[in-house]
Amino acid sequence: MGPGGEQVGVVSVATALRLAREADLDLVEVAPNSKPPVAKIMDYGKFKYEAAQKAKEARRNQANTQLKEVRFRLKIDTHDYETKMKRAVGFLNGGDKVKAMIQFRGREQSRPELGVQLLQKFAEDIAEFGVVESRPRQDGRNMVMVIAPIKNKSEARAEMNARRAQEKAERRQARAEKSQAAADKS
């Protein structure tokens, strides 16, 4: 490929190097595994810079989902349950997984079916924000269930940034209207 992106065709390496020297550019092999290998006449420093920028952008947009934990007791009050549920919804909206854990004490360990019922109720209550990734299972004195978010972390982050930008624009608009009203009074 030529310096302007035009197709030069299949040429020998010596010819390609001569064309690159004439254009005062470099000969860069862009697809070594194809038959025949594809080389492009371009500025190699610019090529490396653009590749580094793409890699940097990909790393910045990459989001690692974390596992957040919400702990319950078997005998949880409704208000406490709702508080834990709101906390879990916030985690799921942020794109993180939620590990719901019930801690059993003493005689409570002989009634694991009550823990399963509570975790199933919890899963139903937050069904619009996440899906159950692993069913409730007994883990020693604890019963654990993992819930995955419906949207991934990068989607959630993009949505949150858009919401912040919208709120910022609304505040700016309100200040402008307020200052305009003050200017009209005087």
Side-chain angles (χ1 to χ4, degrees):
M1 294 181 69
E6 70 275 359
Q7 291 284 346
V8 175
V10 179
V11 294
S12 68
V13 176
T15 308
L17 284 171
R18 184 180 51 77
L19 289 172
R21 252 186 249 112
E22 288 172 1
D24 199 27
L25 294 171
D26 303 311
L27 182 65
V28 180
E29 190 174 30
V30 291
N33 297 332
S34 66
K35 297 289 181 200
V38 178
K40 190 173 183 181
I41 298 173
M42 65 170 79
D43 183 8
Y44 186 67
K46 183 178 178 183
F47 173 73
K48 289 287 283 185
Y49 174 76
E50 288 172 355
Q53 290 300 315
K54 283 181 185 177
K56 182 179 176 184
E57 184 70 22
R59 277 194 308 275
R60 191 174 60 161
N61 288 337
Q62 180 184 19
N64 296 328
T65 302
Q66 293 181 338
L67 183 63
K68 303 286 187 166
E69 191 171 290
V70 178
R71 293 185 180 199
F72 297 101
R73 288 289 316 279
L74 192 57
K75 299 175 184 174
I76 190 168
D77 191 45
T78 55
H79 180 265
D80 294 336
Y81 173 80
E82 290 169 0
T83 303
K84 302 276 186 179
M85 188 178 70
K86 285 179 186 174
R87 191 79 174 129
V89 166
F91 291 147
L92 290 170
N93 282 337
D96 294 317
K97 291 182 181 183
V98 174
K99 178 180 177 182
M101 178 187 292
I102 296 179
Q103 298 172 317
F104 293 102
R105 287 197 183 150
R107 287 179 158 173
E108 294 175 350
Q109 292 181 33
S110 64
R111 304 292 302 275
E113 64 276 359
L114 294 176
V116 171
Q117 289 174 358
L118 179 61
L119 287 176
Q120 287 175 341
K121 178 180 184 254
F122 180 72
E124 290 169 7
D125 290 342
I126 62 172
E128 63 185 86
F129 305 103
V131 293
V132 176
E133 190 173 88
S134 70
R135 310 281 328 143
R137 69 181 187 287
Q138 192 78 28
D139 185 23
R141 297 177 144 235
N142 303 323
M143 184 170 283
V144 179
M145 177 176 71
V146 178
I147 300 162
I150 291 177
K151 350 176 188 176
N152 64 28
K153 187 98 170 180
S154 58
E155 289 174 0
R157 188 180 288 167
E159 189 176 292
M160 186 171 52
N161 288 341
R163 193 176 325 118
R164 283 182 184 162
Q166 177 67 27
E167 290 171 358
K168 189 175 181 180
E170 289 172 359
R171 285 193 303 270
R172 191 179 300 128
Q173 179 68 26
R175 274 189 302 227
E177 289 173 0
K178 189 175 179 180
S179 64
Q180 183 64 35
D184 289 345
K185 274 188 175 178
S186 56

